[in-house]
Amino acid sequence: MDYYEPRDDLDEPPLAQSEPSPIQQVYQGAHIFITGASGFMGKILMEKLLRTCNVAQIYILVRDKKGVKSQERLASIFDDKVFELLKVEKPGEIRKVKIIPGDCSLPDLGLSEEHKALLSHVNFVFHVAATLAMDQHLRVAFVTNVLGTKFLLEFVRTLPYLKAFMYISTAYTHAYRDLVEETFYDVVFDEEEVGQICNQLDDEQIGALTPKLIGKWGNTYALTKAFAENLISKYDKIIPIGVVRPSIVVSVWGDTPLRGWINNIYGAIGVVAGTAVGLLRLWCADPQMVADMVPVDIAINVTLAAAWEVATKNTNLKIYHSVSSKNPITYDILRTANFGHGDSERMETTKCIAVQWFFLVKNKTMFCLYSIWYHVIPAFFIDIFLQLTGKKPQLMKIYAKVYNVNKSLMPYCVEKNILFTSNNVDEMWDSLDPVDKRLFFFDLASMDWQEFWLYALKGIRVYILNDPMETVPQGIKHTRKMWIRKMVFDSVIWITFSYLAYIIFRNIF
């Protein structure tokens, strides 16, 4: 069942194209090297290059896995619905992708001499690999996000035909500021100092020291991304380089490659997905606070256009903000984006484990109290029941992780609105010719967020919950039954408490 209708703003016929556009020309016949190609943004980047840009070869860095051949790894990456359009339109393009066994956390990326020679022809490098967990142990976050970037930069500077190195950072790298501009900011500690701490101390000692190191950054993800940016700034004039800072990356917006596609539950998508299955009851956020989000296809189009600018205009090191500040959305969307309440389209899922209801809490103290009542206490009794029935208790761990993630995000969700400038991206958009503006569209001024979330919800249902749209009628019935059970259970609880209160009151008086 194809429910992804074309966007209204793209109803006009395609522009006539007799030759490659300027952006297509720079990638035509190019050799591309990508880290993190098996991840969310990496897949969209690879798909876009293969379907739109007639590249010569794409090399993807993948950790070696014993007992699994490279072709099997490659097949597992392309065994994703997001590549279906590519397989239909240009099936031969997939043969241009070659796996390079390696590891960003090792010097020279752990590459063999044979693979180093193979990569010597690379023209564009896209560093997408990162650990995104906000509560990741500092050592792990540092090794992946900082040390991995350092080893990659040292390798890239040896490439004789390099035209552009693009680093995918985050707009929230310096979100402790009220205004974040497309520029580098100082960090309190140099990445070398933190590297020495990670080398000299054990995990427990680093964990104890982490809150002091994190400081105003709030979490290890933002901190290590800031370190990586500081490191990259030192390579200006050494290699052609650019930094893209997307904000909260969410589902595909455009018709291609697959509208609404998503394959992870990070950020806003995780909150909405948790609500959809009845697992998440509340979130600490000010509903009037701006939640800067960007669809993944838009962020990738910005990245490809930025790499074109770096390669062709010989500009100084630039930062590009892929953000929606000019067309803002608030955190209230986490409450209103749901599977069939109010005026929204009915799409209840058969995968829900409890009735769907959710609210936002602005006050941090009330959030703690509500979390105990709505998350911790139910999880405690459910885990006891699971343990008694021979199953693995897990809800307490899940809610603990949810609480820690929400706590690390409170500065962005509760304390202040953050304004991101996007002058470099705006100027780049104005410089594009009409064909590139269509092929690599990234102007969010015309975006309808309500429409976006309608399709994002469908994507969550289909691609995260693995619940096809054909099962909506069953989902509605399933949800109705759970509401009836809830009302019966609540009635029993209230009648019991009322009776006990009556007995106590009668005995006292």
Side-chain angles (χ1 to χ4, degrees):
M1 179 179 179
D2 186 6
Y3 53 85
Y4 294 98
E5 302 89 354
R7 293 206 316 266
D8 293 337
D9 59 320
L10 296 182
D11 283 345
E12 70 272 13
L15 296 169
Q17 187 176 352
S18 58
E19 59 183 24
S21 69
I23 292 181
Q24 286 178 312
Q25 285 177 10
V26 80
Y27 292 113
Q28 189 169 22
H31 291 76
I32 317 289
F33 184 38
I34 302 174
T35 70
S38 61
F40 179 45
M41 294 187 72
K43 284 185 176 181
I44 296 295
L45 172 63
M46 187 162 55
E47 196 277 343
K48 184 75 173 185
L49 284 166
L50 291 172
R51 184 169 47 80
T52 310
C53 299
N54 194 25
V55 299
Q57 192 89 50
I58 293 180
Y59 303 102
I60 61 175
L61 188 71
V62 177
R63 283 196 184 99
D64 204 5
K65 200 171 184 179
K66 291 183 179 180
V68 181
K69 297 180 180 179
S70 294
Q71 288 306 311
E72 293 175 354
R73 298 289 300 278
L74 195 61
S76 67
I77 292 172
F78 282 101
D79 186 23
D80 193 308
K81 290 184 180 295
V82 77
F83 293 107
E84 287 186 353
L85 181 63
L86 173 67
K87 293 175 182 177
V88 171
E89 291 188 352
K90 297 184 176 182
E93 292 295 300
I94 294 177
R95 291 195 292 270
K96 293 181 177 180
V97 180
K98 180 177 178 61
I99 282 184
I100 302 295
D103 190 335
C104 281
S105 65
L106 298 175
D108 284 337
L109 312 180
L111 298 172
S112 66
E113 293 301 320
E114 176 188 355
H115 288 131
K116 286 181 186 178
L118 191 63
L119 292 174
S120 64
H121 300 289
V122 162
N123 309 116
F124 293 89
V125 177
F126 296 92
H127 186 28
V128 189
T131 176
L132 306 178
M134 300 288 177
D135 58 345
Q136 185 65 267
H137 191 279
L138 180 59
R139 185 194 302 279
V140 177
F142 183 85
V143 168
T144 304
N145 293 344
V146 184
L147 200 58
T149 302
K150 179 180 180 180
F151 289 146
L152 181 58
L153 285 166
E154 284 300 305
F155 171 73
V156 164
R157 69 187 299 180
T158 68
L159 301 179
Y161 304 105
L162 183 71
K163 294 181 178 180
F165 172 91
M166 300 305 299
Y167 175 69
I168 306 298
S169 186
T170 171
Y172 289 88
T173 300
H174 297 279
Y176 56 86
R177 303 176 64 90
D178 294 324
L179 176 66
V180 180
E181 300 180 284
E182 291 168 308
T183 187
F184 290 97
Y185 294 101
D186 292 333
V187 291
V188 177
F189 304 99
D190 188 88
E191 65 277 355
E192 296 292 341
E193 296 177 286
V194 178
Q196 290 177 2
I197 291 174
C198 290
N199 288 333
Q200 295 172 2
L201 304 182
D202 60 31
D203 286 351
E204 187 175 345
Q205 291 172 318
I206 293 174
L209 192 59
T210 294
K212 294 181 180 179
L213 294 173
I214 287 176
K216 57 189 177 183
W217 277 269
N219 56 75
T220 56
Y221 172 64
L223 178 67
T224 52
K225 281 292 190 178
F227 286 148
E229 283 192 7
N230 187 60
L231 175 65
I232 282 172
S233 68
K234 299 174 182 178
Y235 284 77
D236 188 21
K237 309 299 184 184
I238 298 176
I239 58 176
I241 192 168
V243 176
V244 177
R245 286 181 183 162
S247 55
I248 303 170
V249 183
V250 288
S251 313
V252 172
W253 176 34
D255 298 327
T256 58
L258 184 58
R259 195 174 190 190
W261 179 79
I262 184 75
N263 72 346
N264 68 83
I265 54 173
Y266 286 112
I269 295 296
V271 176
V272 175
T275 305
V277 297
L279 185 65
L280 199 60
R281 298 300 189 199
L282 68 153
W283 191 258
C284 189
D286 183 345
Q288 302 307 313
M289 195 77 73
V290 171
D292 202 296
M293 303 180 189
V294 59
V296 61
D297 50 323
I298 298 298
I300 292 304
N301 286 344
V302 169
T303 301
L304 290 170
W308 161 77
E309 186 170 80
V310 170
T312 60
K313 298 190 177 182
N314 297 317
T315 60
N316 293 328
L317 173 55
K318 274 188 177 182
I319 292 177
Y320 302 84
H321 278 176
S322 182
V323 295
S324 57
S325 292
K326 293 184 178 179
N327 184 9
I329 186 173
T330 67
Y331 280 104
D332 194 47
I333 192 64
L334 299 179
R335 180 185 60 83
T336 59
N338 56 67
F339 278 17
H341 293 180
D343 298 327
S344 59
E345 181 179 331
R346 300 296 293 269
M347 59 180 86
E348 286 93 329
T349 175
T350 61
K351 301 298 180 69
C352 58
I353 60 175
V355 295
Q356 181 189 164
W357 61 273
F358 175 84
F359 62 101
L360 297 174
V361 183
K362 181 179 177 180
N363 183 279
K364 296 179 183 179
T365 302
M366 293 305 299
F367 170 70
C368 293
L369 295 175
Y370 281 136
S371 293
I372 293 171
W373 181 255
Y374 289 109
H375 284 169
V376 177
I377 293 176
F380 176 76
F381 287 107
I382 291 173
D383 275 357
I384 288 177
F385 174 78
L386 290 173
Q387 201 163 18
L388 292 174
T389 55
K391 297 179 182 178
K392 184 179 179 181
Q394 52 187 337
L395 271 185
M396 287 291 287
K397 289 183 179 179
I398 291 174
Y399 282 130
K401 187 174 182 63
V402 168
Y403 179 83
N404 288 333
V405 170
N406 197 171
K407 184 179 179 181
S408 68
L409 293 175
M410 284 180 187
Y412 318 141
C413 300
V414 178
E415 296 176 4
K416 62 182 177 181
N417 274 319
I418 305 166
L419 178 63
F420 301 100
T421 64
S422 56
N423 296 335
N424 290 340
V425 170
D426 295 341
E427 290 173 5
M428 182 170 65
W429 173 256
D430 291 338
S431 73
L432 299 186
D433 80 350
V435 176
D436 278 333
K437 283 186 175 181
R438 183 178 183 85
L439 292 175
F440 303 93
F441 181 85
F442 55 82
D443 181 16
L444 287 179
S446 62
M447 183 169 185
D448 183 340
W449 280 109
Q450 294 300 322
E451 181 188 33
F452 167 81
W453 274 104
L454 172 64
Y455 290 98
L457 285 167
K458 292 177 180 179
I460 291 171
R461 193 185 198 279
V462 174
Y463 305 117
I464 298 297
L465 303 180
N466 294 314
D467 198 5
M469 294 302 292
E470 289 84 355
T471 66
V472 167
Q474 294 95 309
I476 293 173
K477 292 179 181 178
H478 180 57
T479 301
R480 189 180 299 123
K481 289 179 181 179
M482 284 195 298
W483 271 108
I484 293 172
R485 292 170 188 165
K486 181 183 185 303
M487 286 188 289
V488 171
F489 178 79
D490 288 350
S491 298
V492 171
I493 293 296
W494 281 112
I495 290 172
T496 302
F497 273 109
S498 298
Y499 178 74
L500 291 174
Y502 167 73
I503 296 296
I504 293 170
F505 182 81
R506 189 180 65 180
N507 289 338
I508 293 176
F509 298 99

